[in-house]
Amino acid sequence: MTGDESAAGTAAEKTARAADGTERPPARVIVVDDQTVVREGIVMLLGLLPGIEVVGSGADGFEAVRLVAELAPDVVLMDLRMPRCDGAEATRRIRAEHPGTQVVVLTTYADDDSLFPALKAGARGYLTKDAGGDEIVRAVHGVISGDAGLSPQIQRRLLERLSEPETAPAAAPPDGLTVRETEVLVLIAEGMTNHEIARALHVSTATVKTHINNLFAKAGLKDRAQAVRYAFRHGLTKPEGRPGS
């Protein structure tokens, strides 16, 4: 064994030990990300990290829920913005149906629209994709132990949010629409195209289409004209020329 291999082995042994010095089995992890290159890169990185065993990977939230049911992993590393079923919704389902599996969000985005829905859905950790290997290992084993696996910048944002003045709670969106789906609905009512909505919300057109499909299904809508009437009926927007009516 070379000096480098010996050093790597020593590091692995230390990382694979719990705080009380006892050895712990590798954390069984599933990786979920809709971008193949990114997903395979994360799987490759995790394969080099001590104390982690990748047992599966998926491309969207539906696959995440299915894989958790099949493999019963300790932790899911979950992207947020994915087609068909996003990370927040998948997290909610996993935590409701498989409480023994924890979720750590691993995403490019650290904005409030991504952060807080994921945490409310039950995610115990939240890391951005520039996190280092040591940080990922700490987060994974931390959530297994019952701790919150949040990166320093996310912890700062939570503290900032908690220190903001309280405002009156907004009315819950109708028919179980998410905040993002409601935003998309309002922009549809304002006459925006999918491309314009994507630019306004800084997301892809494919993501906008996913939100539209989801909100149409939840609200029982067939087309954009019905969506406009629905938005007016629920007070989400006002007909032009009749402010406040």
Side-chain angles (χ1 to χ4, degrees), residues 2-210:
T2 66
D4 288 342
E5 289 173 336
S6 177
T10 301
E13 290 175 1
K14 289 181 178 179
T15 307
R17 290 180 179 274
D20 60 3
T22 59
E23 291 189 6
R24 58 190 175 193
R28 302 176 70 255
V29 175
I30 284 174
V31 177
V32 183
D33 195 297
D34 63 322
Q35 298 184 42
T36 302
V37 173
V38 174
R39 183 173 66 253
E40 291 178 349
I42 295 172
V43 169
M44 184 177 298
L45 170 63
L46 295 178
L48 301 174
L49 299 178
I52 290 182
E53 177 189 1
V54 179
V55 296
S57 63
D60 60 38
F62 287 136
E63 291 190 13
V65 176
R66 176 181 62 80
L67 287 169
V68 169
E70 291 178 1
L71 301 172
D74 298 308
V75 177
V76 179
L77 284 179
M78 183 85 74
D79 189 24
L80 284 181
R81 301 186 181 181
M82 299 181 291
R84 297 205 305 164
C85 177
D86 64 25
E89 175 60 19
T91 297
R92 185 190 65 76
R93 296 184 188 182
I94 289 169
R95 295 298 298 143
E97 299 170 13
H98 309 281
T101 296
Q102 301 294 339
V103 177
V104 173
V105 171
L106 187 61
T107 181
T108 304
Y109 308 95
D111 57 278
D112 288 0
D113 284 344
S114 300
L115 168 61
F116 294 105
L119 294 179
K120 288 179 180 178
R124 291 286 297 169
Y126 196 111
L127 301 173
T128 53
K129 289 181 181 176
D130 58 359
D134 290 344
E135 194 172 355
I136 295 174
V137 171
R138 284 196 300 271
V140 167
H141 286 289
V143 297
I144 292 174
S145 300
D147 299 328
L150 302 175
S151 65
Q153 59 266 42
I154 298 302
Q155 293 184 43
R156 286 195 298 270
R157 185 64 199 107
L158 281 173
L159 291 173
E160 290 169 1
R161 180 66 173 261
L162 291 172
S163 66
E164 291 173 355
E166 292 188 6
T167 57
D175 294 317
L177 299 184
T178 66
V179 173
R180 181 62 87 182
E181 289 164 358
T182 304
E183 291 174 342
V184 171
L185 175 61
V186 170
L187 295 178
I188 289 175
E190 292 178 359
M192 286 193 180
T193 65
N194 288 1
H195 290 291
E196 291 170 337
I197 294 172
R199 286 197 298 270
L201 299 180
H202 306 290
V203 298
S204 68
T205 303
T207 297
V208 171
K209 290 180 180 178
T210 297

